[in-house]
Amino acid sequence: IYTDLVENDIHPPLYFWILHVWMVFAGVNLWSGPVLNAILILFSGFCLWRLLKLIHCQPVAVFFGVAFYMMSATTQQMTIATRQYTLLGLLTILLLTFSIRSIQGDGNYISLGIVAMLGFLTQFQFGLTLFFCFIAIAVLLIRRNRDGRLRLLPGLVSMTVFPCLALIIWPGML
């Protein structure tokens, strides 16, 4: 898969690497990709539920937010196509979760950086989401006192350094 992606495709490879490992266990069938996507959607729904609880949404809002995500036509279409969009959605939810946790001061900066790197290895447009999360943290960094600034700085560093590691993992990115 790696050689084929480098020579013939411009998509980042993470989803296809996961799909390859999945097909080793599930077999090569018409349903292999959609089942993998369904698993990613279920995990995304769980992570979205955790994100909405993290930002203190009311239980009814959490239920309807996750239900809307899980049953929307877009999510259903993403499940059927064997493409990287379900993984992109999951990583976007995780990036927002870890960004909020770093803003709140209880973040795991390594996880934030790893999600940023995995996002770049999934879809190039992930850079836009990463950019806006970076700006939000930077603005809060500037507005906070010295202790708050020091607490947010590792998040910014991890969001910068880890995506650069994607170039080492997949040099074909350039």
Side-chain angles (χ1 to χ4, degrees), residues 97-112 151:
T97 300
F98 290 127
S99 294
I100 290 169
R101 290 189 68 195
S102 71
I103 289 168
Q104 292 174 342
D106 61 346
N108 182 338
Y109 304 115
I110 302 281
S111 297
L112 178 62
R151 197 171 61 220

Side-chain angles (χ1 to χ4, degrees), residues 39-94:
I39 292 168
L40 291 171
I41 290 291
L42 289 173
F43 191 59
S44 297
F46 173 75
C47 292
L48 180 60
W49 174 75
R50 299 276 302 167
L51 172 62
L52 294 173
K53 297 287 278 181
L54 178 68
I55 59 175
H56 307 292
C57 287
Q58 297 294 323
V60 172
V62 171
F63 171 78
F64 282 111
V66 172
F68 180 76
Y69 174 75
M70 299 289 287
M71 291 188 273
S72 72
T74 303
T75 302
Q76 300 307 312
Q77 289 173 349
M78 286 189 316
T79 305
I80 294 169
T82 305
R83 303 298 290 167
Q84 69 271 23
Y85 304 113
T86 53
L87 183 60
L88 177 65
L90 171 63
L91 292 171
T92 300
I93 292 168
L94 290 173

Side-chain angles (χ1 to χ4, degrees), residues 5-45:
L5 283 172
V6 169
E7 293 176 7
N8 301 317
D9 202 345
I10 60 166
H11 292 92
L14 182 62
Y15 176 79
F16 301 103
W17 290 342
I18 293 170
L19 181 63
H20 176 74
V21 171
W22 171 253
M23 287 181 149
V24 167
F25 295 107
V28 179
N29 301 298
L30 288 176
W31 53 266
S32 297
V35 169
L36 173 62
N37 287 345
I39 292 168
L40 291 171
I41 290 291
L42 289 173
F43 191 59
S44 297

Side-chain angles (χ1 to χ4, degrees), residues 75-152:
T75 302
Q76 300 307 312
Q77 289 173 349
M78 286 189 316
T79 305
I80 294 169
T82 305
R83 303 298 290 167
Q84 69 271 23
Y85 304 113
T86 53
L87 183 60
L88 177 65
L90 171 63
L91 292 171
T92 300
I93 292 168
L94 290 173
L95 180 72
L96 294 173
T97 300
F98 290 127
S99 294
I100 290 169
R101 290 189 68 195
S102 71
I103 289 168
Q104 292 174 342
D106 61 346
N108 182 338
Y109 304 115
I110 302 281
S111 297
L112 178 62
I114 289 172
V115 167
M117 177 184 64
L118 293 176
F120 269 111
L121 289 171
T122 301
Q123 181 75 6
F124 293 125
Q125 286 89 352
F126 189 80
L128 292 172
T129 304
L130 184 62
F131 173 75
F132 288 116
C133 286
F134 185 92
I135 293 299
I137 292 174
V139 166
L140 289 171
L141 178 70
I142 292 167
R143 294 183 65 201
R144 290 210 175 162
N145 59 22
R146 181 170 160 44
D147 292 336
R149 289 181 188 149
L150 292 176
R151 197 171 61 220
L152 290 175

